[in-house]
Amino acid sequence: MKNELLLKALKGESVERPPVWMMRQAGRYLPDFMKLKEKYDFFTRCQTPELATEITLMPIDQMGVDAAIIFSDILVVLQAMNIEVEMRDGIGPYLPHPITNQSALNQVLLPDVDDRLGYVFEAVRMTKKELHDRVPLIGFAGAPWTLLCYAVQGQGSKNFDRAKAFCFQEPEMAKELLQKITTTTIAYLRAKIKAGADVIQLFDSWGGLLSPTDYQEFSWPYLQQIIDALSGTVPVIVFGKGCWFALQEMGKSGASALGIDWTCSARNARYLSGGQITLQGNFDPSRLLSPIPEIKTQVKQMINAFGKDRYIVNLGHGILPNIPVDHAKAFVDAVKEYGS
Ligand code: CP3
């Protein structure tokens, strides 16, 4: 690997500067991506390895980030499990048949992942080839809880009230669904690693909607199962948005790094996670709308606060579609200029 910064930071080794990449960097804000978006619908982009590869490489070539993340979506795992998922303009993910009762749950399958998700593994192989070991490739999956949110609610939501009601009223069914998702995710990630993913990130985007106690019941045990199943393969990064309350447990889980959002200070994150584990984050994505000199100053302050070692510079959540390209580039450049 020519650029080892991410892998070193994940091992806790000292680096001359921290690595940098941006969540959701492979899409959303880049003009070349917008052009492809006009021509091909969302799942066509995901299912066509040539397109997924092209989109994955855009931020490597144009932004100079230290890692690639494969272009795909967390929801492809639900599709493979026989749950229909559409991407609707102005709505986002839309699931016409949410899983709200036992008969719907019985229709949820444990798929042969090579058969149903082979296009993802093909995209990973193709991307690895095109990357020529310039930077490591991150594969990812949604946390079982976050996927349940979509499977039960049927679409995005501020509070995922129907998904939470299902868990609290039908905990046995909820756990059956969570376990099915977990089992599928483990097979999926093992195949992704076999295809060439160098690192895995787990996205628990809606973990912070649960109370600390409910998180221990409906999210964390399933993430821990996935971490355990991948132990001895590649480093795993766990990003739980709003999950500062679980950092202590996460710090002991065997994960290589923990993602932090911008509502948690570097100091608190270090303290809560036990001070040893690598942390990733946590620039407020909206802060990329600040004037460029301000972005650069704040990035330097952020690195000083986390420390240059055991740290991966990132946003505290995905990059927003309205971020000017030169502002995203300034974020990356500020990290590269660090210490010089
Ligand atoms: O860096 C990357 O962009 C890699 C690919 C990637 C996508 N989705 C592509 C995508 C990744 C890592 C994801 C993860 C994802 N998807 C998460 C977890 C991370 C997070 O942001 O919290 C979640 C919750 C989803 C579910 C999802 N997919 C939503 C809510 C939406 C609609 C709105 C949006 O843009 O986030 C999607 C669609 C989606 N996934 C798009 C892209 C580029 C936009 C739709 C399009 O391009 O047509």
Side-chain angles (χ1 to χ4, degrees):
M1 191 66 62
K2 289 174 191 118
N3 180 337
E4 297 236 270
L5 287 172
L6 178 71
L7 300 174
K8 278 188 167 175
L10 287 167
K11 281 188 221 150
E13 291 173 10
S14 189
V15 285
E16 59 272 27
R17 62 155 177 98
V20 55
W21 67 282
M22 293 177 289
M23 287 193 276
R24 308 294 305 272
Q25 67 186 15
R28 280 197 162 174
Y29 67 106
L30 287 174
D32 288 347
F33 174 77
M34 304 293 188
K35 277 186 224 151
L36 280 183
K37 200 173 155 150
E38 280 163 25
K39 265 171 76 185
Y40 308 97
D41 71 51
F42 181 65
F43 288 113
T44 303
R45 276 174 276 145
C46 289
Q47 289 162 8
T48 312
E50 289 78 7
L51 291 176
T53 300
E54 186 182 341
I55 298 169
T56 303
L57 293 177
M58 284 176 187
I60 310 307
D61 298 333
Q62 298 175 23
M63 294 287 129
V65 285
D66 298 308
I69 179 161
I70 191 73
F71 182 79
S72 183
D73 198 81
I74 60 169
L75 302 171
V76 300
V77 169
L78 297 181
Q79 287 179 322
M81 298 175 74
N82 201 31
I83 302 174
E84 205 180 316
V85 183
E86 300 166 8
M87 203 53 76
R88 292 200 176 170
D89 283 341
I91 298 183
Y94 184 81
L95 294 77
H97 311 289
I99 311 304
T100 52
N101 55 48
Q102 189 66 49
S103 72
L105 185 53
N106 293 342
Q107 304 296 310
V108 177
L109 305 177
L110 294 179
D112 174 338
V113 291
D114 286 312
D115 183 33
R116 299 298 306 265
L117 292 161
Y119 63 87
V120 180
F121 313 137
E122 186 52 35
V124 169
R125 279 190 292 270
M126 197 176 279
T127 302
K128 278 296 283 179
K129 206 164 149 242
E130 296 292 322
L131 274 172
H132 299 290
D133 279 341
R134 275 179 287 167
V135 292
L137 178 62
I138 302 170
F140 68 88
W145 158 253
T146 287
L147 288 181
L148 175 143
C149 281
Y150 289 100
V152 175
Q153 189 85 16
Q155 62 185 80
S157 162
K158 274 206 172 72
N159 54 15
F160 285 94
D161 53 345
R162 294 198 290 274
K164 287 173 86 171
F166 180 70
C167 288
F168 302 154
Q169 289 164 6
E170 303 289 353
E172 295 309 315
M173 270 191 244
K175 286 172 193 177
E176 189 183 331
L177 179 56
L178 288 164
Q179 190 54 53
K180 281 184 167 179
I181 297 171
T182 303
T183 303
T184 305
T185 300
I186 290 170
Y188 173 62
L189 291 176
R190 282 183 172 149
K192 233 170 173 173
I193 294 165
K194 203 171 135 211
D198 300 294
V199 173
I200 293 296
Q201 174 153 323
L202 300 170
F203 284 93
D204 202 355
S205 304
W206 308 124
L209 296 179
L210 292 168
S211 74
T213 316
D214 289 333
Y215 192 76
Q216 289 304 328
E217 186 170 356
F218 295 105
S219 186
W220 182 250
Y222 303 94
L223 279 169
Q224 181 71 68
Q225 261 189 65
I226 297 169
I227 296 165
D228 288 345
L230 300 183
S231 106
T233 60
V234 300
V236 175
I237 306 169
V238 180
F239 170 65
K241 184 161 181 290
C243 297
W244 59 272
F245 54 76
L247 287 175
Q248 189 186 6
E249 188 98 40
M250 289 176 170
K252 297 184 290 192
S253 64
S256 292
L258 306 178
I260 307 295
D261 69 56
W262 65 95
T263 65
C264 185
S265 68
R267 187 187 158 90
N268 268 337
R270 285 283 181 212
Y271 172 73
L272 293 167
S273 62
Q276 295 304 311
I277 191 166
T278 297
L279 299 179
Q280 171 177 283
N282 69 342
F283 208 71
D284 177 352
S286 300
R287 266 290 173 193
L288 290 182
L289 292 167
S290 290
I292 284 177
E294 180 93 7
I295 294 173
K296 292 201 164 184
T297 305
Q298 292 209 1
V299 168
K300 277 166 199 156
Q301 286 169 350
M302 180 172 75
I303 300 173
N304 288 338
F306 278 97
K308 81 169 169 63
D309 288 331
R310 284 192 236 137
Y311 177 48
I312 302 160
V313 179
N314 206 317
L315 306 174
H317 199 192
I319 191 166
L320 302 167
N322 59 342
I323 298 302
V325 174
D326 55 339
H327 286 222
K329 185 78 167 49
F331 176 78
V332 175
D333 288 345
V335 183
K336 297 191 170 176
E337 290 156 12
Y338 185 79
S340 62

